């Protein structure tokens, strides 16, 4: 079972003294004990009685570090110039703290099973937590009624999602990115924005998703000549990006377009489509509407 270290990746070895020690060798030895490759652990701080290692990978199989304190200390002890003492110990915040667990084989197996169960429960909870963000100054100023958010919320709740309504996002790349990143950190598995996908310079939701996931799928709904009228972009796109377990989706603002997109989105969630397929199907149904609309003009 791979555990995400959740950015708590430092190990402190306390009460250790060094004499002319090669720090890269030291880091590689710790990496070896944790089942990692050379270069995946580095020394980030050395004090007179203390050394700090940083694990540079985000996920490690739990059996690689559970109860490994003694093994790490023994490996360090074997390096020329390293002195350990009776009371030398390792400390770490977060999940890596389990390095110091002192368990029998039976307890270790039991703990790994418990963690497995907890991990799949957490995963399931994350996947069923959604947050919906309205966007745009028209909503911030209360100029128009937000019909999209309650509609999206209702459809997702019918699918068993626990839905939170996010703060209104302003037409600003940094604000949108910050709100999305905050929601990702708070463990939402589905993040939906409505509005801000157009071709004006105030439209920034697709760009925000792309700045978090550079491999986001951002197909066009409609293309036109850049710089026509208010258009500073060459078309209207939607965006579907992923980060860890979470999926971010930017839908258009007009309510009739949200009504077209949501059944496709729900089908994609039920059938677990990947981001490319989901984005293409959403763009397809929306592009069709634009074609029909322009055909009637």
């Amino acid at each position: 079972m791979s555990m995400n270290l959740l950015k708590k990746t430092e190990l402190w070895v306390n009460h250790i003294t060094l004499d002319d020690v090669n720090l890269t060798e030291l880091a590689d030895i710790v990496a070896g004990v944790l089942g990692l490759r050379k270069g995946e652990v580095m020394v980030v701080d050395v004090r007179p009685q203390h050394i700090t290692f940083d694990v540079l990978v985000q996920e490690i199989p739990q059996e690689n570090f559970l109860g490994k304190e003694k093994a790490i200390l023994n490996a360090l002890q074997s390096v020329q110039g390293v002195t350990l003492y009776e009371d030398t110990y390792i400390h770490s915040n977060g999940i890596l703290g389990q390095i110091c667990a002192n368990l029998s084989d039976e307890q270790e197996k039991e703990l790994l099973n418990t963690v497995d169960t907890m991990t799949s429960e957490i995963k399931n909870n994350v996947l069923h937590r959604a947050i919906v963000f309205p966007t745009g100054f028209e909503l911030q100023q209360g100029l128009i009624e937000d019909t999209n958010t309650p509609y999206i919320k209702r459809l997702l709740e019918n699918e068993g999602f626990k839905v939170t309504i996010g703060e209104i996002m302003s037409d600003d790349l940094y604000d949108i990115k910050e709100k999305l990143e905050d929601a990702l950190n708070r463990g939402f598995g589905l993040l939906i924005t409505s509005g801000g996908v157009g071709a004006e310079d105030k439209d920034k939701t697709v760009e925000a998703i792309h700045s978090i996931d550079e491999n986001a799928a951002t197909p066009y709904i409609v293309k036109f000549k850049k710089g026509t009228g208010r258009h500073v972009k060459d078309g209207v796109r939607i965006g579907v990006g992923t980060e860890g377990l979470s999926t971010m989706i930017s839908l258009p603002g007009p309510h009739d377009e949200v009504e077209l997109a949501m059944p496709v989105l729900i089908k994609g969630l039920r059938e677990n489509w990947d981001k490319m397929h989901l984005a293409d199907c959403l763009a397809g149904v929306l592009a069709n509407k634009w074609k029909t609309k322009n055909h009637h003009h």
Side-chain angles (χ1 to χ4, degrees), residues 8 33 64 73 79 104 110 142 160 165 169 171 181-182 220 235 247 257 263 278:
K8 302 267 196 300
V33 178
N64 285 21
L73 294 178
V79 177
S104 68
E110 203 175 304
I165 295 177
M169 293 174 156
D171 299 316
E181 285 181 332
D182 177 57
Y220 284 94
T247 302
E257 293 183 23
L278 180 56

Side-chain angles (χ1 to χ4, degrees), residues 157-177:
E157 282 174 346
N158 290 344
E159 293 297 308
F161 281 88
K162 193 166 181 291
V163 184
T164 299
I165 295 177
E167 273 180 81
I168 298 173
M169 293 174 156
S170 54
D171 299 316
D172 173 81
L173 181 61
Y174 296 103
D175 181 58
I176 298 168
K177 187 181 179 191

Side-chain angles (χ1 to χ4, degrees), residues 173-236:
L173 181 61
Y174 296 103
D175 181 58
I176 298 168
K177 187 181 179 191
E178 203 173 285
K179 286 189 167 73
L180 289 173
E181 285 181 332
D182 177 57
L184 290 168
N185 290 334
R186 283 160 56 203
F188 286 99
L190 179 62
L191 295 72
I192 297 179
T193 64
S194 66
V197 302
E200 296 176 39
D201 64 350
K202 70 179 183 63
D203 295 314
K204 292 282 192 269
T205 53
V206 175
E207 287 78 358
I209 286 178
H210 194 259
S211 71
I212 295 171
D213 172 12
E214 57 188 36
N215 300 312
T218 58
Y220 284 94
I221 300 173
V222 60
K223 285 190 87 156
F224 27 66
K225 220 169 145 191
K226 202 170 176 173
T228 329
R230 300 190 310 266
H231 300 149
V232 298
K233 297 188 261 183
D234 62 351
V236 177

